[in-house]
Amino acid sequence: MEYTKRWTKLDNAAKIFPPTTTNRDTKVFRFSCELYEDVDPFILQDALDKTMVRFPFFRSILKRGFFWYYFEETGLRPLVKEEQDTPCKPIYNPDYADLLFEVTYYRRRINFEIYHALSDGTGAMQFLRTLVFYYLKKKHRDSVPADMVLGDLDAPEDQKRSDAFDKYYSKDRIKKNEKLPRAYRIRGEPFSDQRMGVIEGCLSTAAMIGKAREYGVTVTEFITALLIMAIHENMNVRDESLPIAITVPVNLRNYFSHPTIRNFFSTINISYNFRTSGGTFDELLASVKESFKRQLQADNIYGKMNQLIALEHRGINKIVPLILKTPVMKFFSALAERDDSAALSNLGRVTMPAELVPHIRLFDLIISTKRPQICLCSFEDRMAITFSSPFRSSDIQRYFFRTLSGYGMEIEIVSNTVEIEEDADALVQ
């Protein structure tokens, strides 16, 4: 395949990832699709080659410039491999120029892992959907229409690879910086080999939506409140003076109609202090609902986005060498970590053409993290709720899934930790 050797600046959100990437915090996502049959690696390679035609920007390496990092497109061909490593292992290596994603398979699962500097959850899921689309279209070519297309990926290439932050930035609409209180930090014994513990619960999408509606909230609000409650149940009394704060990414494409496949997200901070605000779930849920409503107002989202971009546009930041910027970015990244206890990402509903639905069991998402992280997405009537954590303890996950089970939801638990995998039912009983 021919390619044009072109370079691209990192978007505003991506700039923080290269200087803060470590072996313990790899800044890698894993998106997976589980089928109802074993994966054929030869057909998957063909599907990957076709997918790269639709996503040429992903054929990029990360290079270090004098003032900033930048992407440079290459002729490297990504090759499908059988999965052998733990989820979200390091992909970016500053000493070795290579692609910033990889595609693996294991039995019935297709995995797509990507370095966060290249794309966000929405862009990465578009890639995986396209990959699965081409795979199943060829695998089942006798029963799938030859003219079937993924119509939501027809945006021009220049729009898909464009920096949406730069397009919508306005220095006239900047939100004043809101100082957040220091949040409760979850601590524990880490896994000795720097891997993450992953625990996933699969349940009915309809049941989850129904339960959230009973409380008059969205699924994201309900899961956020339940996560806060689970963390609180495992706090020491002496720590209750600190709020529990959950960082929630916000897809800016919902506010600005832009088809970029690069990073285009902001975050909100959902905080609750049990000592000052009450200890019941209803009180917590009411506070969470109000926080989401207030922080998701368009003016707040736009103002916060502009605030972050304004730092990049300051004249001094344009002329300071990267070697001096790096320790400053590391410092402020560590400072920002004091503002949250955990993180929650809801990718929402994943859709595929009706003809392919019978071949797909589920989609799920795992994110590398330095503190507990919960991710959820749904496909048809199967919702995957995935915890990733660097800590051996599963007490928070146990409380979370037992509470859902107590609501009458049937939950299928899987894990990559031997202790839990041997007794998965213990998390819901």
Side-chain angles (χ1 to χ4, degrees):
M1 173 183 171
E2 296 183 359
Y3 73 98
T4 301
K5 188 173 183 178
R6 55 192 294 189
W7 68 272
T8 307
K9 295 190 301 182
L10 271 66
D11 57 70
N12 177 263
K15 284 182 168 64
I16 192 64
F17 297 125
T20 59
T21 297
T22 65
N23 286 336
R24 188 173 290 278
D25 186 18
T26 61
K27 313 295 185 188
V28 171
F29 295 159
R30 169 179 284 202
F31 297 79
S32 299
C33 176
E34 183 176 326
L35 307 175
Y36 282 107
E37 59 191 350
D38 286 348
V39 174
D40 183 324
F42 298 102
I43 296 179
L44 184 59
Q45 182 65 59
D46 181 74
L48 178 56
D49 292 338
K50 289 184 172 69
T51 301
M52 292 309 301
V53 176
R54 303 288 292 272
F55 293 81
F57 171 69
F58 280 11
R59 196 189 298 269
S60 296
I61 59 175
L62 183 62
K63 304 193 77 172
R64 184 187 180 103
F66 186 76
F67 294 106
W68 290 107
Y69 291 90
Y70 64 95
F71 294 119
E72 182 179 276
E73 290 188 31
T74 78
L76 295 173
R77 182 193 181 203
L79 299 176
V80 167
K81 298 180 292 186
E82 186 172 11
E83 179 188 3
Q84 296 179 337
D85 297 304
T86 58
C88 302
K89 66 176 179 58
I91 287 181
Y92 169 59
N93 184 338
D95 300 321
Y96 181 70
D98 203 352
L99 295 174
L100 301 172
F101 72 90
E102 65 177 29
V103 174
T104 63
Y105 67 93
Y106 181 71
R107 295 181 180 176
R108 298 176 298 172
R109 294 179 70 88
I110 298 172
N111 305 312
F112 173 57
E113 295 199 349
I114 184 168
Y115 185 51
H116 202 341
L118 193 63
S119 183
D120 61 11
T122 300
M125 182 55 81
Q126 288 183 1
F127 185 98
L128 178 61
R129 289 177 62 239
T130 306
L131 178 66
V132 173
F133 168 80
Y134 283 126
Y135 175 83
L136 291 176
K137 189 175 180 180
K138 182 169 184 178
K139 177 73 172 178
H140 298 280
R141 54 187 176 273
D142 294 337
S143 58
V144 172
D147 58 351
M148 182 176 59
V149 297
L150 274 176
D152 57 339
L153 297 177
D154 289 336
E157 172 58 25
D158 285 346
Q159 290 186 28
K160 288 197 294 184
R161 67 181 300 133
S162 64
D163 183 349
F165 287 110
D166 188 62
K167 176 178 174 61
Y168 293 106
Y169 167 65
S170 171
K171 64 180 180 180
D172 298 324
R173 298 178 63 181
I174 297 176
K175 185 177 183 291
K176 185 178 180 180
N177 188 31
E178 179 182 354
K179 184 174 177 57
L180 299 173
R182 183 168 65 92
Y184 167 67
R185 296 305 307 277
I186 300 170
R187 304 186 186 280
E189 180 188 357
F191 289 98
S192 58
D193 51 3
Q194 296 189 346
R195 66 185 171 95
M196 292 189 308
V198 179
I199 301 173
E200 180 173 281
C202 292
L203 63 156
S204 165
T205 304
M208 177 61 75
I209 293 174
K211 179 54 64 175
R213 285 177 177 171
E214 284 183 25
Y215 282 95
V217 298
T218 66
V219 169
T220 305
E221 291 166 347
F222 180 77
I223 295 295
T224 301
L226 188 56
L227 175 59
I228 291 174
M229 185 64 77
I231 294 171
H232 176 253
E233 287 297 312
N234 290 277
M235 289 175 66
N236 295 320
V237 173
R238 62 180 177 273
D239 293 323
E240 290 193 340
S241 60
L242 299 174
I244 298 171
I246 309 298
T247 295
V248 182
V250 177
N251 183 6
L252 292 177
R253 298 167 186 81
N254 295 331
Y255 296 84
F256 308 95
S257 182
H258 198 285
T260 182
I261 59 171
R262 299 174 65 186
N263 286 295
F264 194 38
F265 71 96
S266 184
T267 61
I268 60 176
N269 184 279
I270 308 300
S271 179
Y272 192 80
N273 189 311
F274 282 86
R275 181 168 294 181
T276 61
S277 301
T280 70
F281 187 66
D282 287 341
E283 290 171 318
L284 166 60
L285 200 52
S287 175
V288 168
K289 181 178 180 179
E290 189 279 329
S291 293
F292 268 95
K293 180 180 179 180
R294 172 173 48 85
Q295 295 188 55
L296 290 179
Q297 292 178 0
D299 285 346
N300 287 335
I301 292 294
Y302 198 10
K304 184 173 182 180
M305 180 190 76
N306 286 328
Q307 175 197 18
L308 295 174
I309 302 174
L311 295 174
E312 175 188 342
H313 283 261
R314 287 181 180 175
I316 187 66
N317 288 330
K318 292 183 178 181
I319 63 174
V320 172
L322 182 59
I323 193 172
L324 298 180
K325 289 190 183 96
T326 295
V328 175
M329 288 190 285
K330 288 182 177 180
F331 171 77
F332 281 104
S333 175
L335 204 62
E337 291 175 1
R338 299 174 58 187
D339 297 339
D340 67 357
S341 309
L344 182 150
S345 296
N346 184 0
L347 207 58
R349 186 169 65 97
V350 181
T351 61
M352 292 293 287
E355 296 86 347
L356 303 183
V357 168
H359 304 290
I360 302 170
R361 182 172 181 268
L362 61 79
F363 285 89
D364 63 12
L365 163 64
I366 304 170
I367 300 180
S368 67
T369 182
K370 294 170 66 175
R371 78 285 205 224
Q373 168 101 32
I374 186 170
C375 301
L376 58 149
C377 67
S378 62
F379 177 74
E380 296 295 301
D381 192 39
R382 190 179 295 273
M383 177 177 289
I385 302 178
T386 309
F387 275 90
S388 53
S389 173
F391 306 126
R392 289 181 175 274
S393 172
S394 60
D395 291 341
I396 293 173
Q397 297 92 317
R398 191 181 306 273
Y399 180 92
F400 180 92
F401 284 119
R402 281 182 175 177
T403 302
L404 287 181
S405 179
Y407 286 128
M409 299 185 192
E410 295 185 6
I411 307 172
E412 175 190 345
I413 299 290
V414 294
S415 175
N416 72 336
T417 61
V418 175
E419 300 88 349
I420 294 172
E421 187 65 31
E422 290 178 347
D423 190 17
D425 291 339
L427 273 103
V428 294
Q429 294 177 356

